[in-house]
């Protein structure tokens, strides 16, 4: 069975790093984020919103979300990158 939903819910994480410290190498500085839920828009508008709201030198991660039959939320990354994830 397949179903379609014409009202997507997007989750956006806007990532930033604290101000640089000359005593700490950049690769050792952590990240923090704010998360937002966007509705009433399409994927292009969600990407534009994320890019428009980035902090200087920040990054974003965009997910489309849906609830499974038991109520669990599933989020699928569709744009951007989580800077805290180490690529294997």
């Amino acid at each position: 069975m397949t179903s379609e939903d014409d009202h997507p819910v997007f989750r956006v994480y806007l990532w930033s790093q604290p101000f640089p410290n000359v005593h700490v190498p950049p690769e050792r500085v952590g990240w923090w984020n704010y998360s937002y839920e966007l509705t009433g828009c399409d994927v292009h508008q969600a990407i534009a919103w994320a890019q428009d709201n980035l902090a200087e030198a920040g990054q974003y991660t965009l997910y489309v979300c849906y609830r499974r039959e038991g109520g669990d939320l599933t989020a699928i990354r569709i744009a951007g990158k989580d800077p805290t994830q180490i690529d294997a």
Side-chain angles (χ1 to χ4, degrees):
M1 180 175 117
T2 60
S3 62
E4 296 179 6
D5 185 348
D6 290 335
H7 306 285
V9 175
F10 298 100
R11 180 176 293 165
V12 180
Y13 292 94
L14 299 179
W15 297 93
S16 297
Q17 287 186 297
F19 293 108
N21 181 325
V22 295
H23 303 292
V24 179
E27 65 275 4
R28 305 240 345 143
V29 175
W31 291 86
W32 55 272
N33 73 66
Y34 288 106
S35 63
Y36 300 89
E37 187 173 285
L38 305 179
T39 59
C41 62
D42 67 21
V43 66
H44 303 288
Q45 293 166 320
I47 290 171
W49 185 92
Q51 291 172 338
D52 289 346
N53 288 280
L54 279 178
E56 185 176 331
Q59 296 184 34
Y60 73 91
T61 313
L62 176 65
Y63 296 85
V64 63
C65 302
Y66 68 94
R67 292 233 175 254
R68 291 179 169 211
E69 273 187 38
D72 293 337
L73 182 69
T74 298
I76 301 170
R77 184 170 55 90
I78 58 174
K81 181 179 178 190
D82 179 341
T84 66
Q85 296 296 314
I86 299 171
D87 292 331

